[in-house]
Amino acid sequence: MRFPSFINTSRTIFTPFNMRHLLIALPLLIAACGTPAPEPGTGTTPPPPREVNVYSHRHYDVDQQLFDQFTESTGIKVNVVNAGGDELMARLEQEGAKSPCDIFITADAGKLGLAKTRGLLQAIQSSTLEANVPAHLRDPQGEWFGLTMRARVIAYNKNKVKPAEIATYDALTAPRWKGRVLVRSSENVYNQSLLAALIARNGPDAAETWAKGIVKNMARAPKGSDTDQLLAVAEGIGDVAIANSYYIGKLMASTEPEKQKARETIGVVFPTFDGTHTHVNVSGGGVAKHAPHKAEAIALLEFLSSDAAQQRFAEGNKEYPVKAGITPAAELIAFGTFTPDTLNLEALSRFNAEAVKRFDAAGWR
Ligand SMILES: [Fe+2]
């Protein structure tokens, strides 16, 4: 397996040592060899530059902007490796105690929990993170912390559907929706986490019955991303779609003609399990088990949970802040309000394997 190389925030790519570097470095090396080390107390050896190494599944501009801001305010350089969550976990496992990774960031609480189970993270104590991140959106042992929140909602065709008809996740299994439901594959972790939450709430059999009901009503065999489901609603391929809230926020903010057309058609409902609570998930991060820069890693996670960073995540990526008192993006406020489920998201990894099994039993590809 090939892994991507480190990219640092100043956009410098580490390249093999070449002749030009050698010519620049040689006189410096000679000078350094001829210079005796300063006597204790008489000279100052500058401390090595502070840095923090991030393995991230997220690839958004807003993340890079926040890392740059962090560097500006602390002097700590942020080096980022971007790859898929599973790939990064495999890399962490392979590198073991020699891993340079300080923070693992991914876009699903189930995956964060999996990283914990595989022994890739370590527990940290931070009163800042504990104050900024609600208890149900972080690991009870402090191995990972949610940094942005998203709701898994239902988008609908405003010309064909009344929002009251789809007030719950269960409503989508009613016979009236036959051939009208759009949703991506069960291989997608957002769907696995939704089903894991249903298992936690109602038990595995009820969750499987729900999955079977959705399969029966699908407008087409699952394919594409959440955004593809939204566009398919606008195209009339189906009338209701399950998608994460930020994809809808981004669609509403988009300047692309296809998406601008779609946003005139699409409305949003926050479905509930029980008349009150809507399924939420997080993007988040944890300190790696063998982090060489643990203090810097904690400082970066704390920064990402701060008011300023939470506001940037909200505006830049249309994600809900995890921290109380931060205003969501205008595009999300327009959809209305909802009550997030208070299930500790640790359950999403605990029931992931069961969710995958039940999806298979239901025939949800
Ligand atoms: Fe996503």
Side-chain angles (χ1 to χ4, degrees):
M1 188 183 292
R2 265 195 82 225
F3 295 119
S5 56
F6 265 120
I7 300 169
N8 76 21
T9 53
S10 56
R11 309 265 184 210
T12 311
I13 311 286
F14 290 111
T15 58
F17 207 70
N18 62 27
M19 190 50 77
R20 200 169 65 84
H21 292 126
L22 190 66
L23 290 174
I24 295 166
L26 206 55
L28 296 172
L29 266 172
I30 292 165
C33 289
T35 311
E39 293 291 318
T42 61
T44 50
T45 308
R50 295 178 77 194
E51 60 180 359
V52 60
N53 299 325
V54 178
Y55 284 11
S56 179
H57 172 58
R58 287 169 57 99
H59 44 78
Y60 301 119
D61 292 346
V62 64
D63 291 33
Q64 190 56 57
Q65 290 158 9
L66 286 169
F67 294 152
D68 291 344
Q69 265 179 37
F70 175 74
T71 303
E72 218 169 275
S73 63
T74 62
I76 301 169
K77 198 172 77 170
V78 184
N79 306 307
V80 184
V81 169
N82 279 126
D86 292 332
E87 196 182 343
L88 291 172
M89 281 191 268
R91 178 171 175 159
L92 277 163
E93 237 157 34
Q94 198 180 64
E95 291 170 339
K98 290 192 180 124
S99 176
C101 178
D102 295 303
I103 297 181
F104 172 64
I105 291 177
T106 192
D108 173 79
K111 293 272 184 212
L112 289 164
L114 187 62
K116 176 188 173 181
T117 311
R118 286 164 73 170
L120 303 174
L121 304 176
Q122 62 173 294
I124 58 159
Q125 268 222 307
S126 158
S127 51
T128 302
L129 284 163
E130 278 160 28
N132 290 350
V133 185
H136 67 108
L137 303 180
R138 55 180 156 88
D139 175 53
Q141 277 80 44
E143 295 208 20
W144 56 262
F145 297 83
L147 296 169
T148 66
M149 187 175 74
R150 57 282 304 279
R152 198 136 181 82
V153 301
I154 302 173
Y156 64 93
N157 184 327
K158 287 194 284 191
N159 305 317
K160 298 184 187 169
V161 178
K162 291 188 191 76
E165 296 171 326
I166 43 172
T168 63
Y169 295 101
D170 269 342
L172 292 179
T173 64
R176 73 196 305 174
W177 301 109
K178 192 160 180 58
R180 300 169 75 188
V181 177
L182 290 153
V183 63
R184 69 200 290 181
S185 162
S186 68
E187 282 175 19
N188 172 257
V189 75
Y190 304 145
N191 282 340
Q192 291 172 10
S193 284
L194 171 59
L195 199 66
L198 278 164
I199 291 170
R201 281 195 151 266
N202 304 331
D205 291 341
E208 184 180 318
T209 302
W210 178 81
K212 280 180 175 153
I214 298 292
V215 170
K216 231 191 278 170
N217 287 345
M218 283 179 182
R220 63 179 179 190
K223 64 171 183 178
S225 65
D226 277 9
T227 301
D228 291 328
Q229 314 313 314
L230 302 174
L231 295 175
V233 169
E235 286 165 31
I237 294 168
D239 295 331
V240 287
I242 299 174
N244 278 356
S245 47
Y246 56 93
Y247 291 115
I248 304 174
K250 285 177 168 186
L251 184 125
M252 296 295 166
S254 175
T255 54
E256 292 171 44
E258 189 191 20
K259 291 182 181 169
Q260 285 194 327
K261 207 173 139 236
R263 76 185 187 201
E264 288 161 22
T265 313
I266 288 173
V268 175
V269 160
F270 295 96
T272 66
F273 295 112
D274 52 3
T276 307
H277 299 97
T278 298
H279 171 63
V280 291
N281 200 337
V282 289
S283 252
V287 176
K289 176 75 174 267
H290 303 290
H293 312 98
K294 185 175 168 183
E296 289 82 355
I298 294 172
L300 178 53
L301 287 177
E302 287 176 344
F303 169 79
L304 294 174
S305 76
S306 68
D307 284 25
Q310 290 289 301
Q311 200 67 66
R312 275 303 296 141
F313 278 133
E315 282 158 13
N317 214 37
K318 313 302 175 199
E319 295 175 274
Y320 287 104
V322 291
K323 188 170 189 288
I326 308 295
T327 314
E331 292 85 355
L332 298 188
I333 292 173
F335 302 154
T337 56
F338 68 101
T339 307
D341 194 11
T342 50
L343 172 77
N344 188 295
L345 295 189
E346 160 279 328
L348 303 189
S349 63
R350 193 155 37 92
F351 292 117
N352 179 272
E354 189 66 36
V356 170
K357 204 173 99 185
R358 298 294 176 151
F359 268 139
D360 282 349
W364 186 324
R365 288 196 351 214

